[in-house]
């Protein structure tokens, strides 16, 4: 499986490096098809309209390297509740991840799982993906279609 505890731990290490315990903050990690792990954080900015999702930096780096993303996890430290939350990809990040196809795995919260999360594919996360309407066969758009 592409999404495992090692990937979650990489995101947690990035979170702890960037924001000390006791501060709100988030971080993400993505696994590439070649096994590499990239991490990133979102921008803090007084003007929230320029803020980016925590995954954005790693996704752009993967695209720059031209290596497919196979899995993603995003974490958020909620200091008020004193815990770190697994955050499923927002709609915008689902669009960004769609570039690499419906089998990309994403972490979602799951209180019944021992780790508190489980992996789902983009197709499971978004079974009615709008992009299938622009393909001739109704399938998930290829990277070439996304890039055109």
């Amino acid at each position: 499986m592409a999404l495992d505890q090692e990937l979650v731990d990489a995101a947690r290490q990035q979170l702890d490096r960037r924001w000390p315990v006791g501060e709100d903050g988030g971080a993400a990690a993505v696994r590439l098809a070649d096994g590499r792990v990239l991490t990133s954080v979102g921008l803090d900015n007084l003007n929230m309209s320029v803020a980016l999702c925590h995954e954005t930096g790693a996704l752009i780096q993967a695209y720059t390297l031209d290596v497919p993303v196979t899995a993603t996890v995003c974490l958020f430290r909620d200091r008020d509740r004193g815990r770190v939350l697994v955050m499923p990809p927002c709609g915008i990040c689902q669009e960004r991840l769609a570039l690499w196809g419906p089998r990309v795995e994403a972490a979602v919260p799951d209180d019944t799982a021992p780790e508190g999360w489980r992996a789902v594919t983009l197709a499971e996360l978004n079974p009615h993906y709008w992009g299938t309407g622009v393909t001739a066969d109704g399938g998930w758009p290829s990277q070439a279609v996304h890039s055109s």
Side-chain angles (χ1 to χ4, degrees):
M1 179 181 280
L3 205 164
D4 57 14
Q5 190 61 45
E6 178 185 344
L7 191 63
V8 176
D9 292 345
R12 179 62 186 259
Q13 290 166 6
Q14 179 61 52
L15 172 65
D16 292 343
R17 269 194 302 274
R18 180 59 184 87
W19 286 279
V21 173
E23 287 189 28
D24 286 338
V30 300
R31 176 161 287 121
L32 304 182
D34 64 10
R36 283 183 283 179
V37 172
L38 304 174
T39 63
S40 59
V41 298
L43 296 172
D44 282 333
N45 196 291
L46 179 62
N47 181 347
M48 287 304 292
S49 66
V50 300
L52 296 171
C53 299
H54 302 299
E55 301 97 314
T56 306
L59 297 177
I60 290 170
Q61 185 64 27
Y63 190 75
T64 300
L65 294 169
D66 197 23
V67 180
V69 170
T70 61
T72 184
V73 61
C74 182
L75 302 178
F76 176 75
R77 180 183 292 118
D78 181 352
R79 71 170 177 218
D80 294 334
R81 291 193 232 169
R83 63 183 186 157
V84 174
L85 307 170
V86 171
M87 305 295 289
C90 72
I92 294 169
C93 284
Q94 288 181 47
E95 285 296 323
R96 292 172 178 145
L97 290 163
L99 180 67
W100 294 289
R103 290 186 303 274
V104 173
E105 293 179 332
V108 297
D110 183 347
D111 292 335
T112 66
E115 302 85 7
W117 62 270
R118 66 184 171 94
V120 298
T121 65
L122 282 182
E124 292 168 318
L125 193 60
N126 190 351
H128 305 286
Y129 179 51
W130 72 271
T132 60
V134 302
T135 61
D137 64 358
W140 200 279
S142 66
Q143 187 170 356
V145 171
H146 275 283
S147 300
S148 63

